[in-house]
């Protein structure tokens, strides 16, 4: 019973956040914000990430039958590269704010191409991994809503990606503390003390 209560709390908080995100996206569309901006990409990736993760938790509560292997692995693993892609946008935005001239001259185009390539590669890797695992486990009776890792590849790739992301966000967070006050006030609503 406690496990279902925890899952219910996860579903409610996930879909509450998703509802807020949808309202934010509608507001940005009505205000004619640039749909090719980092913020719009963050919202789109977060929408798909929260939708898939919410469906996973919802199905674990409501499903009384055994899951097909492909359904379990796709809903369990696919939100990870989308979450990583959404959170990786934050350092790119901060880099653009901190060094806008350098970004325009040297980095902007390359970073966007590398980011797109890495994100698409991670999504393809996760989808292929889910299909391979589903094929291998299609003969088993039940997945029991947990995954059996036959390899540490998934964990290692995910851990490495999020470790690099953490280091990158930390570096830019420290640089934001020492940003010129006028530039900071122009780009951010919150005070430096909150940061």
């Amino acid at each position: 019973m406690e496990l279902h209560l925890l899952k219910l709390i996860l579903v409610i908080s996930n879909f509450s956040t998703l509802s807020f995100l949808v309202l934010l996206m509608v507001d940005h569309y009505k205000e004619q914000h640039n749909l090719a901006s980092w913020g719009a990409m963050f919202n789109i990736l977060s929408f798909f990430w929260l939708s898939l993760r919410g469906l996973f938790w919802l199905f674990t509560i409501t499903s009384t039958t055994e899951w097909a292997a492909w359904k379990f692995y796709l809903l369990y693993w696919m939100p990870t590269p989308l979450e990583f892609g959404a959170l990786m946008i934050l350092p790119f935005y901060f880099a653009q704010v901190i060094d806008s001239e350098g970004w325009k001259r040297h980095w902007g185009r390359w970073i966007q191409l590398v980011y797109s390539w890495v994100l698409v590669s991670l999504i393809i890797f996760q989808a292929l991994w889910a299909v391979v695992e589903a094929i291998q486990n299609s003969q088993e009776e039940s997945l029991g809503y947990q995954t059996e890792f036959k390899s540490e590849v998934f964990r290692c790739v995910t851990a490495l990606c999020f470790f690099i992301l953490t280091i990158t966000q930390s570096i830019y967070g420290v640089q934001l503390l020492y940003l010129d006050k006028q530039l900071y006030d122009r780009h951010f609503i919150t005070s430096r003390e909150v940061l």
Side-chain angles (χ1 to χ4, degrees), residues 95-96 99-110 186:
Q96 197 171 356
D99 185 18
S100 60
E101 289 302 316
W103 179 269
K104 288 176 186 172
R105 275 190 311 230
H106 303 293
W107 299 106
R109 199 70 177 139
W110 289 104
R186 192 174 91 208

Side-chain angles (χ1 to χ4, degrees), residues 53-111:
R53 186 61 75 202
L55 286 174
F56 174 78
W57 289 117
L58 186 65
F59 286 151
T60 61
I61 294 174
T62 60
S63 179
T64 57
T65 60
E66 295 174 359
W67 288 25
W70 65 269
K71 180 180 175 183
F72 174 79
Y73 287 119
L74 282 176
L75 287 176
Y76 183 74
W77 282 344
M78 283 311 294
T80 303
L82 297 171
E83 177 184 8
F84 176 76
L87 295 176
M88 193 63 209
I89 288 176
L90 297 174
F92 294 150
Y93 175 74
F94 294 150
Q96 197 171 356
V97 169
I98 290 170
D99 185 18
S100 60
E101 289 302 316
W103 179 269
K104 288 176 186 172
R105 275 190 311 230
H106 303 293
W107 299 106
R109 199 70 177 139
W110 289 104
I111 293 293

Side-chain angles (χ1 to χ4, degrees), residues 9-152:
I9 291 169
L10 287 170
V11 168
I12 290 170
S13 63
N14 187 85
F15 283 115
S16 298
T17 306
L18 184 62
S19 300
F20 174 74
L21 181 65
V22 168
L23 291 174
L24 184 66
M25 291 171 69
V26 168
D27 185 51
H28 284 186
Y29 181 76
K30 286 180 180 176
E31 296 294 324
Q32 298 180 345
H33 286 243
N34 183 1
L35 297 179
S37 68
W38 292 117
M41 285 304 302
F42 177 84
N43 291 341
I44 291 167
L45 288 171
S46 295
F47 174 81
F48 287 113
W49 155 41
L50 289 168
S51 297
L52 287 173
R53 186 61 75 202
L55 286 174
F56 174 78
W57 289 117
L58 186 65
F59 286 151
T60 61
I61 294 174
T62 60
S63 179
T64 57
T65 60
E66 295 174 359
W67 288 25
W70 65 269
K71 180 180 175 183
F72 174 79
Y73 287 119
L74 282 176
L75 287 176
Y76 183 74
W77 282 344
M78 283 311 294
T80 303
L82 297 171
E83 177 184 8
F84 176 76
L87 295 176
M88 193 63 209
I89 288 176
L90 297 174
F92 294 150
Y93 175 74
F94 294 150
Q96 197 171 356
V97 169
I98 290 170
D99 185 18
S100 60
E101 289 302 316
W103 179 269
K104 288 176 186 172
R105 275 190 311 230
H106 303 293
W107 299 106
R109 199 70 177 139
W110 289 104
I111 293 293
Q112 290 172 354
L113 290 173
V114 170
Y115 169 77
S116 300
W117 182 83
V118 167
L119 183 60
V120 168
S121 298
L122 284 172
I123 290 171
I124 290 171
F125 172 78
Q126 293 293 74
L128 289 176
W129 192 263
V131 168
V132 166
E133 286 294 317
I135 290 170
Q136 290 177 353
N137 292 322
S138 63
Q139 304 303 323
E140 294 180 12
E141 290 182 23
S142 174
L143 294 173
Y145 306 129
Q146 59 188 1
T147 184
E148 294 291 329
F149 289 100
K150 294 181 175 56
S151 168
E152 294 295 321

